[in-house]
Amino acid sequence: MKFALVSLGLPPSQSGQSLVLYHLLKDFKPDQYCLITQKNFHLYGSQGNGSSRLPGRYHYINPDYQIIRGMLSFASAAHSKGILNILLKMRIHQLRTIIRQEKCEAVVACTGDLFDPPAAYQVSKSLGIPYILYAFDHYSHQWMSPLLHDFALKHERQLIPGAAEVIVPNEFLHQEYRRAYGVEATVLHNPCDLSQYRADQGFDGTERKRETTILYTGAIYEAHYDAFQNLVRALRSLDRPEVRLHIYTPQSESKLRVNGISGGFITYHKNQPIFTMPEIQQKADMLFLPLAFNSPYPEIVKTASPGKMGELLAARRPVLVHAPADSFVSWYFKQHSCGLVVAENDPAELAKGIEALIEDGDLRRNLSKAAYARAKEDFDDITIKRKFTNLLAAQCTG
């Protein structure tokens, strides 16, 4: 079995998608796969905080990632389908050359880039090998520009029904692709290495400390802003000096302040290596999981599966979810009673949720216990790797 995996984000670049792929591929032998990504993409993310590099062979395609970004902006402004078609043909040619050279028996294309999924699909058809779409997000809804959205939707209508397999990270995207295309996608929740989370996490909230910590770890952008702004208002209204928000993120403190995430009760931290996150998470009193109520891409928020979700469940700490009621995240935590969900776009309701977690020890313990049970059931990387390997083997031998 040998397959090509095409993805904009690959280890060691820092992204949830890169970390998922690291967990899935780290135990494969180097001659069982090759990796294809855009040249220099890794230079534009925060470095030193991602996973290790994978041992398989990496191929970097041209032009440079930033050049592609500039050309997409120009094409959108000029309403030029011609530029998109030229870029797609270039991508098809490069992928075909690499995949043929590597003698791959299947190709896995990940969302995150406009051209990777359709280009890999065309190559798979020309070479007569299975095509697997790994939809980390809803492909056609990732693009805000009408030109780019229409381009993606046109190809999505072809590549999803034509795929040998479609992999999605949650039940909501599974339902969406079933509704739109009649496709039964395979759900693989984003894997988490549970062995990194110790059973005895120390403080369980039953004793009083000088500080009550609300913790957030991860990127912060348009998909989070108004949920964080609600948290800031909620903390101000509580007027409890011992309650502090700690943020570990690659985004700068100045950018967070510009977007209304500021206050004397916030401690900003530089992003830390991923191997330090389990201990940091398990020392917190509650873990914050936000998604925006008003963002440029509501469909993405609805079907989003944050890469850190398994980590938060595995940490055995109470999770405070603040996300729209129709989102997968709110549904999952409510369905399994493994987090306190505030699905109203209301700082006052969020303040009530924080107070409940502070004052109710039984609630904290029950949520923490249920959270770890769900981590073992849905996010254990050992189980998910086995499912992924079996899926690939079936395609390469079938």
Side-chain angles (χ1 to χ4, degrees):
M1 174 182 71
K2 184 172 186 179
F3 62 95
L5 187 136
V6 187
S7 176
L8 181 62
L10 286 174
S13 66
Q14 182 178 293
S15 71
Q17 185 164 316
S18 297
L19 186 57
V20 168
L21 294 174
Y22 175 76
H23 283 303
L24 292 176
L25 300 178
K26 63 184 179 182
D27 294 329
F28 279 90
K29 295 178 181 178
D31 61 357
Q32 289 184 305
Y33 65 96
C34 69
L35 303 166
I36 308 173
T37 191
Q38 285 181 42
K39 183 179 179 182
N40 288 337
F41 170 73
H42 63 287
L43 297 179
Y44 303 104
S46 299
Q47 293 300 292
N49 304 310
S51 62
S52 302
R53 184 182 175 92
L54 289 165
R57 182 180 297 173
Y58 284 69
H59 295 271
Y60 300 96
I61 53 181
N62 292 303
D64 181 278
Y65 165 70
Q66 290 291 61
I67 294 175
I68 290 287
R69 286 186 63 186
M71 294 180 76
L72 289 180
S73 296
F74 179 78
S76 297
H79 305 288
S80 174
K81 295 180 181 178
I83 292 175
L84 301 184
N85 290 330
I86 290 171
L87 291 172
L88 177 60
K89 289 178 180 178
M90 291 173 57
R91 186 68 54 84
I92 291 171
H93 173 73
Q94 293 184 80
L95 294 186
R96 182 186 292 116
T97 299
I98 296 168
I99 292 170
R100 180 184 287 150
Q101 170 192 322
E102 290 279 357
K103 299 179 181 178
C104 295
E105 302 169 71
V107 57
V108 181
C110 302
T111 54
D113 177 76
L114 181 64
F115 301 110
D116 282 344
Y121 177 75
Q122 295 299 328
V123 171
S124 75
K125 294 305 177 186
S126 68
L127 297 180
I129 61 176
Y131 171 82
I132 300 167
L133 175 68
Y134 204 134
F136 284 92
D137 289 295
H138 197 308
Y139 170 61
S140 63
H141 286 290
Q142 288 185 282
W143 314 102
M144 297 301 103
S145 156
L147 179 75
L148 305 187
H149 174 74
D150 290 346
F151 177 90
L153 183 59
K154 171 188 171 182
H155 289 283
E156 181 180 89
R157 289 168 176 161
Q158 181 183 42
L159 62 88
I160 290 182
E165 284 282 354
V166 177
I167 301 172
V168 295
N170 63 60
E171 291 80 356
F172 272 35
L173 199 49
H174 173 274
Q175 293 171 7
E176 176 61 21
Y177 283 161
R178 174 198 283 166
R179 180 195 64 78
Y181 300 109
V183 168
E184 291 296 329
T186 298
V187 176
L188 294 181
H189 293 98
N190 294 329
C192 175
D193 184 354
L194 301 188
S195 69
Q196 300 300 306
Y197 290 85
R198 57 194 175 92
D200 178 15
Q201 72 274 19
F203 175 70
D204 68 356
T206 58
E207 59 179 296
R208 286 295 176 187
K209 299 191 303 177
R210 296 179 63 183
E211 179 179 302
T212 298
T213 302
I214 302 174
L215 176 70
Y216 178 83
T217 61
I220 302 174
Y221 57 102
E222 288 84 356
H224 308 100
Y225 285 151
D226 65 9
F228 266 102
Q229 292 159 6
N230 283 346
L231 179 60
V232 168
R233 296 187 185 100
L235 292 175
R236 284 177 180 154
S237 70
L238 284 176
D239 193 25
R240 296 181 64 148
E242 79 277 12
V243 181
R244 295 192 60 82
L245 171 61
H246 289 256
I247 299 175
Y248 290 79
T249 183
Q251 277 67 51
S252 67
E253 180 179 337
S254 60
K255 185 172 184 179
L256 299 183
R257 290 182 179 278
V258 165
N259 286 283
I261 307 171
S262 63
F265 42 78
I266 300 177
T267 301
Y268 306 93
H269 300 265
K270 292 183 178 179
N271 212 27
Q272 298 296 312
I274 59 170
F275 64 83
T276 67
M277 282 298 104
E279 182 177 0
I280 292 171
Q281 290 161 345
Q282 291 197 287
K283 286 182 176 178
D285 295 295
M286 62 187 84
L287 305 171
F288 189 50
L289 180 53
L291 284 174
F293 292 83
N294 298 291
S295 78
Y297 21 72
E299 289 301 319
I300 292 291
V301 168
K302 180 179 179 180
T303 58
S305 211
K308 59 184 171 288
M309 191 164 154
E311 298 176 16
L312 302 186
L313 292 166
R316 295 182 173 90
R317 311 304 301 128
V319 181
L320 174 62
V321 177
H322 190 39
D326 65 350
S327 67
F328 163 71
V329 167
S330 283
W331 171 84
Y332 186 92
F333 280 86
K334 276 190 175 181
Q335 177 75 10
H336 300 295
S337 301
C338 55
L340 192 152
V341 179
V342 178
E344 299 83 11
N345 186 10
D346 185 349
E349 291 301 315
L350 188 56
K352 291 179 184 177
I354 295 169
E355 288 271 22
L357 287 175
I358 293 173
E359 301 299 334
D360 192 335
D362 288 338
L363 175 64
R364 291 192 302 271
R365 283 186 288 274
N366 291 338
L367 292 178
S368 300
K369 182 178 179 180
Y372 189 70
R374 295 319 304 177
K376 290 195 295 183
E377 179 70 23
D378 286 336
F379 294 86
D380 184 359
D381 68 336
I382 296 173
T383 302
I384 295 170
K385 280 187 293 184
R386 183 169 62 248
K387 291 179 180 178
F388 180 69
T389 302
N390 291 341
L391 182 151
L392 283 169
Q395 290 303 322
C396 290
T397 59

